[in-house]
Amino acid sequence: MRALLVALVSLAACDDPKTPTPEQRASLRVPLPDGWRAAAMSGGLQVGPQGRVVLQLESTTRPLPDAATFLHALEAEGVEVLQKESVDTFVGARYSVSGEGTRRDAFVGVRQTGPRTIWCSTTASAKRDEVEAAMTVCRSLSWEG
């Protein structure tokens, strides 16, 4: 739990670590499914079941992107969008990727919470049920402090 708290504080401070701000005393709350862990990386967190990363969270102070533009850019990549979601503080899509004779589900989303914009994306190792869990994690992010 202590490692997760350190990771969350690191995520909050990632834009400019040289300039301490009141924001650095706040934290991002990341509700993880049972058995999942979070580890700090440069600019964010890596999340997933023990020993695997299935979701990456990257923090920025940029505004939430326009939903239509975000979804259009994804569709322009030639993926099959399976599910779209857009509300005031979240835009995301679950999609299907084909390659090398295989097909897998993936997710990319952006959540605005507090002063932060968090980009969420699944990794190639995410299984179908983990993609669903990753969507829930991204949707449920909250800012405390």
Side-chain angles (χ1 to χ4, degrees), residues 109-127:
V110 186
R111 171 86 161 100
Q112 178 71 48
T113 183
R116 311 305 294 183
T117 302
I118 311 298
W119 286 79
C120 309
S121 61
T122 54
T123 65
S125 67
K127 299 174 184 171

Side-chain angles (χ1 to χ4, degrees), residues 25-49:
R25 289 183 285 272
S27 63
L28 180 68
R29 184 175 184 289
V30 182
L32 299 175
D34 289 340
W36 282 33
R37 307 280 185 258
M41 64 175 205
S42 177
L45 296 174
Q46 294 181 327
V47 180

